Amino acid sequence: MSFSPSISQSEIFELSFRLPLGSYELQLQIEYQPVVALSPRGGEVSAYECLLRLDANEHVLEVSELISELEQAGTIPVLDLMVVDHVCRIAVANPSLRLWVNISQATMGSISTMEKVGSRIISGGLANRVTLEITETVEGPKEQILNSLRHLYALGISVVIDDIDEQLSMASLLIGNLVSGCKLSRRSMVRLSENPARVSEVLEQVRWCRSRGKSVVLEGVETKRDLQIAISLEVNYCQGFHFWPSLPLHEIPAQGTVVFIPPTSLRRRAQS
């Protein structure tokens, strides 16, 4: 079952910026990777992570390089706000979608930008459908980030910590109410595959989070073995190429699409 969007995927970002080697104008777009909710009954598409992509005709640099350059230049809040604007328009036009969007720590450290982000989400009535993910690519000012989190929490907007294993300095936020969960990165998935003995250690951490009402997502699930690890870890959600890659809006599976999970795997999870 696929999804029929109300906004054409041809909508793109026009971004002009300067780098040491010169000035550039790039076209960017959003793709959407389905996030699968796991339960003893199976799996189903629960949300979509919004991922920035360069237009296919652009060969100047990779998206990761672009983000790094903008973070270093202090201009990443402009791009993040542009992405939030786009995501909110998509969500308003498509009331069934729940969308997760990345926000740099540098942007989170700008309370004026985060007030605009909060305003965009609230004005669209999207507090329960747009979740923000704090990324790890650059370290932001902690006190300002806390102020932004307090502001978003007061508005009822959910925030999760992306790639928690890569930004352990943010882990203390899981103790309070300002963030609603965290994500484990593909790098975590690789380390778990290489060293199965770590599964029990990470399982304790996942159970600690869930006992405090925090959701846990495992990214980078690319094989059946990866899925078995995700199930054994008792995470709430997972995503990765085993299910779907990131896709244009008109190609995503509909929210609620059922995902087959081997029954024996689910029984082991229910009994653990």
Side-chain angles (χ1 to χ4, degrees), residues 19-244:
L19 293 178
L21 297 179
S23 299
Y24 300 96
E25 292 187 3
L26 295 181
Q27 292 184 336
L28 303 118
Q29 60 188 21
I30 300 290
E31 289 189 348
Y32 305 82
Q33 185 169 47
V35 179
V36 175
L38 298 176
S39 75
R41 298 180 302 279
E44 67 176 43
V45 174
S46 174
Y48 310 85
E49 181 177 1
C50 303
L51 297 167
L52 194 62
R53 297 288 185 257
L54 282 172
D55 184 87
N57 295 319
E58 302 287 2
H59 302 287
V60 179
L61 73 175
E62 299 295 326
V63 167
S64 59
E65 295 174 314
L66 169 63
I67 291 173
S68 177
E69 291 286 351
L70 294 178
E71 286 177 330
Q72 295 302 318
T75 53
I76 191 67
V78 175
L79 178 59
D80 280 348
L81 186 57
M82 190 182 301
V83 171
V84 169
D85 275 337
H86 179 85
V87 168
C88 287
R89 289 198 300 274
I90 294 292
V92 167
N94 301 279
S96 66
L97 295 186
R98 293 178 63 237
L99 301 174
W100 298 357
V101 57
N102 293 308
I103 292 285
S104 168
Q105 283 194 39
T107 303
M108 288 292 298
S110 168
I111 186 61
S112 61
T113 301
M114 293 312 300
E115 286 175 347
K116 293 175 183 175
V117 167
S119 176
R120 300 292 198 279
I121 294 172
I122 294 301
S123 64
L126 303 171
N128 63 337
R129 292 202 292 120
V130 172
T131 295
L132 303 178
E133 300 183 22
I134 308 176
T135 62
E136 82 291 353
T137 49
V138 70
E139 197 165 311
K142 291 297 184 290
E143 191 55 43
Q144 288 92 321
I145 289 174
L146 282 171
N147 288 337
S148 293
L149 286 170
R150 293 183 187 107
H151 176 69
L152 296 169
Y153 180 75
L155 296 175
I157 297 170
S158 295
V159 180
V160 300
I161 303 172
D162 194 20
D163 296 351
I164 186 69
D165 44 327
E166 309 297 331
Q167 47 179 344
L168 293 177
S169 63
M170 303 288 284
S172 61
L173 292 172
L174 291 168
I175 297 173
N177 296 322
L178 298 181
V179 300
S180 59
C182 62
K183 301 182 79 172
L184 297 168
S185 69
R186 170 62 187 166
R187 289 181 287 274
S188 278
M189 184 74 262
V190 171
R191 288 193 287 265
L192 288 165
S193 297
E194 294 173 346
N195 183 10
R198 289 202 70 240
V199 171
S200 60
E201 175 188 339
V202 176
L203 175 58
E204 287 185 19
Q205 297 168 354
V206 171
R207 286 176 171 172
W208 182 91
C209 287
R210 294 191 62 175
S211 71
R212 286 158 176 78
K214 311 296 183 184
S215 63
V216 183
V217 186
L218 181 61
E219 298 181 310
V221 175
E222 298 186 355
T223 66
K224 290 182 179 178
R225 185 164 180 262
D226 291 346
L227 177 58
Q228 294 292 339
I229 292 174
I231 292 170
S232 67
L233 287 175
E234 301 177 10
V235 297
N236 305 83
Y237 306 97
C238 55
Q239 62 189 97
F241 285 14
H242 178 70
F243 304 109
W244 289 276

